[in-house]
Amino acid sequence: MRIINKTSALLIGGSGIVSVARGMSLTFLAVKLQEDFMLTPASVGAVLGIGPFVAAFATPFVGNLSDVLGRKRLLVTVLALITSSLATISVTQSVAIFVAAQAVGSVSSFVFEPLSRAALSDASSQEHRLQLFSWRYLAINVGWGIGPLVALLLRPATALLFIVSSIIYAVVTVAFTLIIPSDRFSNDKRRSHTAPPMLIAFRNARRDARLLLYAMGGLLILAVHGQWTVTLSQYMNGSIKGGLEIFSFMVTTNAAVVLLANRPAKVAIQYLGEIRSLMIGVFFFALGTLGFALSDSALSFIVSMAIFSLGEVLVVPSEFVAVDRLCNIENRGTYFGVHSMSSMGNFVGPFAAGYLLGQAGGSFMFGFLALLVISGGLLYLIGSTPCTKLPYLWSRNEH
């Protein structure tokens, strides 16, 4: 059986292409808000966290809706919204419109993630999902490696960054619309008859203690790595001489490590299992974060980023596999949607880190982030531990 088909290839490639656009448009967004609109670090964190905050509540409903209506139409809709938001950002001179457009685009971006993961699960067999998730994650990080370098070159023409990003999203939107047949998304017609009503689906998902523990653990972990560019760009810009140039190389280091470590990480997850691999990744996250606090040179920052990135290649696919094991074809969108409430971490992290950076300095901030990621790993460990008091712990039939 072929590992990859047209649908999964476009989902993987499309995720990588839009990551180029995200890397271009988001890398220096925090610096732009700080310099052009004179916002404080905490305010920047709050502004960039609005989208993830709203998405945390929207994604479960959208995920369940995709179980009923199919993935394709919702994927195309959110891509179109991102395209429009970037186009608006490129021309507006109003901070209010800028923030509103950025929030719409951010919500849509975070909604796109669980939808595309669920669609990729639909388009693949159980034995090939880890491989496809790894390829998708690899494609995303290739995009993030390219995007910031382009942004660094075009930074004086900030509006151009958003225009080009909008065009990239528009092309991907058209590709999804024209190339992917609707019935390739896990038999959409059959799903419309078999998927449970929304309230029943959420009740069942809410009663799955493993899923809730994974979502809470994911929130704490995501608070550290989900929008690390927001936290680090502000710290590097304000506290380190030549910080933005070093930061650009750190972003590239992140992408390079992900490229080199992706396959070894996949082998490790297959051999150790997703929970053990996730715990090792959490250790690397904490070590890299503490390394940022102690760094005082470009080399030490880059080494710390390499360690941090090793945590990323282990944690991200492990989370996907852990959640995928909890669900089945009828409730996959709902489960990935509920777990994506962990995207609240993308609000908690930048806001809390920005506040601590302004009030207590970088060392205290990084220590706090290390504590958060360790706590998140412990919640995953608890959720994976056999315990008869956790409902639905081993039975998938009761879902």
Side-chain angles (χ1 to χ4, degrees), residues 101-123:
Q102 193 277 330
V104 171
S106 181
V107 171
S108 300
S109 295
F110 283 103
V111 168
F112 173 79
E113 283 302 306
L115 286 178
S116 59
R117 291 197 297 265
L120 186 58
S121 289
D122 293 343

Side-chain angles (χ1 to χ4, degrees), residues 201-221:
F202 279 119
R203 183 191 66 190
N204 291 344
R206 188 184 68 247
R207 291 174 58 193
D208 193 329
R210 295 167 301 174
L211 178 62
L212 298 181
L213 286 168
Y214 286 177
M216 289 187 290
L219 186 155
L220 296 180
I221 294 173

Side-chain angles (χ1 to χ4, degrees), residues 231-252:
T231 301
L232 272 173
S233 63
Q234 292 184 88
Y235 174 72
M236 301 296 290
N237 188 45
S239 304
I240 306 298
K241 183 179 180 180
L244 286 183
E245 288 73 18
I246 298 174
F247 172 71
S248 298
F249 285 111
M250 291 170 69
V251 175
T252 301

Side-chain angles (χ1 to χ4, degrees), residues 134-150:
S134 297
W135 284 346
R136 178 181 180 274
Y137 184 59
L138 181 64
I140 289 172
N141 279 276
V142 169
W144 272 100
I146 297 172
L149 294 178
V150 177

Side-chain angles (χ1 to χ4, degrees), residues 162-229:
F162 293 106
I163 293 171
V164 175
S165 299
S166 178
I167 292 172
I168 292 174
Y169 270 102
V171 170
V172 175
T173 303
V174 172
F176 271 60
T177 303
L178 298 180
I179 297 176
I180 300 181
S182 296
D183 59 5
R184 293 299 298 273
F185 283 85
S186 187
N187 299 319
D188 287 347
K189 293 181 180 179
R190 183 170 63 81
R191 183 192 294 110
S192 65
H193 296 290
T194 62
M198 183 175 291
L199 292 179
I200 296 175
F202 279 119
R203 183 191 66 190
N204 291 344
R206 188 184 68 247
R207 291 174 58 193
D208 193 329
R210 295 167 301 174
L211 178 62
L212 298 181
L213 286 168
Y214 286 177
M216 289 187 290
L219 186 155
L220 296 180
I221 294 173
L222 206 59
V224 177
H225 83 88
Q227 294 207 75
W228 60 264
T229 56

Side-chain angles (χ1 to χ4, degrees), residues 5 9 15 28 34 39 123 159 207 257 284 303 343-344 353 384:
N5 54 40
S15 295
F28 295 109
Q34 197 173 32
L39 299 182
R207 291 174 58 193
V257 170
F284 283 129
V303 170
S343 65
M344 183 76 73
S384 67

Side-chain angles (χ1 to χ4, degrees), residues 63 67 101 169 365 373 397:
D67 285 334
Y169 270 102
M365 175 191 71
V373 76
N397 296 327

